[in-house]
Amino acid sequence: MADPAPGFKTVRLKVPVSGEDLADLAIGTIVYLDGVIYTGREGVYQRVLGEGNPLPLDLPAVSNVNFHCSPAAAVEPDGRYKVGGVTATASFRFAKWMADWFRVSGARVIIGKGGMTGQDYRDLFLPAGAVYLTTVGYGTGALLGRGIRRVREVHWLGELGNAQALWVFEVENFGPFIVDSDLQGNSLFEQQAELVNRNLEELYAGLRPPALSRYGETDDRKDELI
Amino acid sequence: MIAPDDIEEAACRIMANAAIDIPADYRRSIQRMADGESGDLSCFVLRTMLENWETATADRRPMCADTGLPRFYVKLGDHARFAGGFTGFERALRSATARATHDIPLRPNRVHPLWRTDHNNNVGINAPEIEWSFEPDVDWIEITTVHKGGLFGTDYRMLFPGDGIDGIKRFFLDTLVAFGKRGLACQPAIVGVGLGGSKDTCMVLGKQAACLRVVGDRNPDPEIAALEEELQELGNSIGMGAMGFVGKSMVADCHIEVGYTHTGGMPMSMHTFCLSSRRATVRIRADSSTEYRTDPKWFTPYMRRETVEWQTPHPVSRQSG
């Protein structure tokens, strides 16, 4: 396990993550995982939730951790898999699928890049009893790659390609991740952004706006754009 | 005469170097930022990245699995000679991309924009991009590969001369604030600014400024160099660090490249490289021997020339050095 800066609580959890462990997770905690996790992003969500295809495996029985990621992986001529690194992709685009995904998959932990909005956590995650873990950096691909012990199975490789396929990994000491949302719907990103926002007015003070404006949804830099 | 196989082998090797080994200039800047970062979360992120780079090099695995949109920048000496012609050169780079995607492995990111077709090798229509430039008086070929993520951290805006430095600063801040939140831009990053040119040139210059100049390099125009330093400082004063957490680690360096533009306009583009800053370069000499490095040295005096005629200021040997 990495040696985090002092002051950070670090935990190592077994997957499937138990309800008790989930309840104990506070935002800002550093997490490492052991067990079985799987990747699923827009390709998988569209196939299952958009097109109504059945899950290719009994996900609720296998794992409750869904990683928004695509591995840097290749299939060898003999059919074996070579996994180099794994890195998350930005999760906010997948919010529209999460309520149904929680119901179908039994997922209780979502891992990805950058989190979702506090509103998404309260509307979607809280009712499902789910938390969000963010990867660090982003781009700790080598550290996470080292944590993958074995590719247990891959589904829809032909249909979706390497990047969008549903990969099932056995992982050990897999991390680090930072808890962004807890079971109460608190968000670390949201809290940090509020602190950053306090400086913005002063930052822009005295800078004249350009002659030509642009159409846009917001000119308030305190707004979230996701 | 340089053979297509030599080009392909060298291109494969820089693909691996770029994906696995963090450039020393960028590593040093992140180490400095980690040492000076007062935001504890932001500092934790930087220290984890330093550990990630050590792991990547030790395990020979990619630093980041989003191995970006792999692409090439080629500089041909006036006196360089290679077999197979220009299309043979392009074929060698496309073949290297497919091989490297499997062998390293890289993530096969490249898909058709509408049909999402994935050949699983990062090769497709207009992919990988290959940009060509030329160098007088020399006989070598240089190939640089850049793996840069493709979703966040870039923007373009048509500003006007009257908008002045204020306009530049505002757009600089707008882009960093917009994409810095939650760390979508994967900061702290080398930020490239393109100023001028036509719109497409403006984008190309900014991208090249971010990806093809090393930390600490300054534009030869002293006033532009001063603006680079001012913008870097401005970006680091937002109060935002890695992952959008409270901190001051936002801009590892700022590079500005300019192109002569429309008399009425001052177009500007912004590009943030990332926490893996993946670039690697090879020089292939006339005798096919190779030299590998992480500084692309793309913006030569010749590239920034202003006049019709060109005289190399310090004559260099026509032979490989």
Side-chain angles (χ1 to χ4, degrees):
Chain A
M1 208 152 46
D3 182 25
F8 290 98
K9 184 182 175 190
T10 303
V11 297
R12 194 165 163 173
L13 302 181
K14 283 210 161 20
V15 186
V17 183
S18 70
E20 196 178 323
D21 283 342
L22 287 175
D24 282 346
L25 283 181
I27 60 172
T29 303
I30 313 297
V31 177
Y32 291 79
L33 298 175
D34 299 289
V36 177
I37 65 146
Y38 63 92
T39 69
R41 50 184 295 180
E42 63 267 57
V44 168
Y45 295 155
Q46 177 59 22
R47 216 170 150 75
V48 175
L49 304 173
E51 297 162 17
N53 291 295
L55 287 169
L57 73 169
D58 185 8
L59 266 187
V62 172
S63 174
N64 63 359
V65 178
N66 174 193
F67 194 177
H68 287 158
C69 106
S70 307
V75 184
E76 298 290 16
D78 63 4
R80 284 181 305 113
Y81 304 107
K82 179 168 64 178
V83 179
V86 282
T87 304
T89 195
S91 297
F92 70 90
R93 303 115 80 196
F94 311 140
K96 65 174 184 177
W97 283 296
M98 290 324 299
D100 287 336
W101 185 251
F102 286 136
R103 187 174 43 73
V104 169
S105 68
R108 292 293 174 269
V109 176
I110 300 293
I111 306 175
K113 171 180 176 178
M116 297 190 187
T117 65
Q119 198 62 46
D120 286 335
Y121 291 142
R122 293 181 280 277
D123 293 348
L124 308 172
F125 281 61
L126 211 150
V131 303
Y132 186 98
L133 309 181
T134 178
T135 52
V136 176
Y138 301 86
T140 52
L143 286 174
L144 294 177
R146 196 182 256 189
I148 292 180
R149 307 305 340 155
R150 195 169 80 87
V151 177
R152 184 170 143 155
E153 50 198 296
V154 191
H155 299 277
W156 294 335
L157 201 54
E159 294 86 343
L160 296 175
N162 285 21
Q164 293 280 346
L166 195 163
W167 295 79
V168 184
F169 295 130
E170 288 174 12
V171 300
E172 184 183 341
N173 198 19
F174 188 56
F177 307 110
I178 305 175
V179 180
D180 179 39
S181 81
D182 61 17
L183 284 186
Q184 285 72 50
N186 297 304
S187 164
L188 180 67
F189 279 124
E190 198 173 55
Q191 291 182 9
Q192 290 282 308
E194 280 168 19
L195 295 172
V196 170
N197 284 345
R198 291 177 190 172
N199 304 323
L200 292 180
E201 206 168 325
E202 193 184 336
L203 192 68
Y204 278 84
L207 294 178
R208 287 176 299 116
L212 180 68
S213 299
R214 297 203 292 193
Y215 289 122
E217 290 82 8
T218 180
D219 289 315
D220 184 348
R221 276 106 190 156
K222 297 195 285 300
D223 282 352
E224 285 274 12
L225 298 181
I226 66 171
Chain B
M1 187 79 93
I2 299 167
D5 282 354
D6 295 332
I7 294 169
E8 182 170 332
E9 284 306 315
C12 275
R13 186 157 156 199
I14 56 174
M15 290 282 266
N17 292 352
I20 295 168
D21 298 310
I22 194 75
D25 60 287
Y26 182 73
R27 181 206 289 264
R28 278 194 301 273
S29 79
I30 295 305
Q31 181 70 59
R32 271 198 306 274
M33 288 180 119
D35 293 343
E37 179 56 270
S38 48
D40 51 1
L41 279 164
S42 183
C43 186
F44 169 71
V45 174
L46 297 183
R47 297 206 178 285
T48 305
M49 291 312 301
L50 289 163
E51 187 189 340
N52 183 63
W53 298 331
E54 283 171 24
T55 304
T57 294
D59 289 8
R60 304 309 297 160
R61 58 170 86 235
M63 294 178 266
C64 175
D66 186 348
T67 42
L69 298 178
R71 62 183 301 158
F72 295 99
Y73 297 88
V74 181
K75 199 181 282 297
L76 297 176
D78 260 346
H79 307 291
R81 294 291 175 266
F82 51 93
F86 291 102
T87 57
F89 204 124
E90 291 201 319
R91 191 210 157 275
L93 295 184
R94 288 169 81 85
S95 177
T97 302
R99 273 178 55 197
T101 298
H102 175 271
D103 292 351
I104 297 173
L106 303 177
R107 192 167 107 188
N109 273 342
R110 291 277 196 171
V111 300
H112 189 287
L114 290 171
W115 326 131
R116 317 310 289 179
T117 315
D118 191 339
H119 297 155
N120 282 328
N121 63 4
N122 281 315
V123 176
I125 301 171
N126 283 311
E129 294 86 353
I130 302 171
E131 287 183 50
W132 301 89
S133 73
F134 310 101
E135 191 66 12
D137 306 320
V138 297
D139 62 0
W140 42 252
I141 293 169
E142 287 188 348
I143 309 170
T144 295
T145 189
V146 167
H147 304 176
K148 180 183 182 303
L151 300 185
F152 309 109
T154 296
D155 205 354
Y156 164 86
R157 184 160 189 164
M158 178 55 85
L159 299 172
F160 298 93
D163 293 328
I165 301 295
D166 272 11
I168 293 171
K169 286 183 181 172
R170 277 183 75 101
F171 187 56
F172 184 82
L173 286 175
D174 277 354
T175 309
L176 291 182
V177 171
F179 294 109
K181 289 191 176 188
R182 298 165 182 270
L184 293 182
C186 294
Q187 72 267 17
I190 302 172
V191 177
V193 175
L195 282 177
S198 51
K199 292 182 179 72
D200 52 342
T201 308
C202 183
M203 287 297 282
V204 166
L205 285 172
K207 172 80 167 259
Q208 293 180 353
C211 300
L212 300 177
R213 286 176 53 191
V214 300
V215 174
D217 181 44
R218 292 275 70 89
N219 190 292
D221 180 324
E223 288 182 69
I224 294 177
L227 184 59
E228 289 177 337
E229 286 171 1
E230 190 178 353
L231 290 180
Q232 181 186 5
E233 198 176 318
L234 182 66
N236 288 330
S237 72
I238 294 173
M240 192 188 274
M243 289 176 73
F245 294 141
V246 171
K248 53 187 178 184
S249 308
M250 192 75 192
V251 182
D253 203 349
C254 174
H255 297 313
I256 301 173
E257 287 301 323
V258 301
Y260 272 40
T261 192
H262 191 291
T263 184
M266 189 177 64
M268 172 168 170
S269 72
M270 279 279 295
H271 307 254
T272 50
F273 209 175
C274 68
L275 263 170
S276 297
S277 293
R278 289 157 291 182
R279 55 170 140 77
T281 300
V282 60
R283 174 179 292 189
I284 308 176
R285 301 187 192 92
D287 63 1
S288 294
S289 63
T290 51
E291 169 199 327
Y292 291 87
R293 58 176 203 258
T294 56
D295 180 355
K297 297 181 181 168
W298 177 254
F299 288 101
T300 58
Y302 176 75
M303 290 280 283
R304 292 176 173 131
R305 70 197 181 281
E306 290 197 67
T307 54
V308 173
E309 304 301 334
W310 173 257
Q311 189 73 50
T312 304
H314 306 290
V316 293
S317 164
R318 281 180 50 163
Q319 303 306 311
S320 292

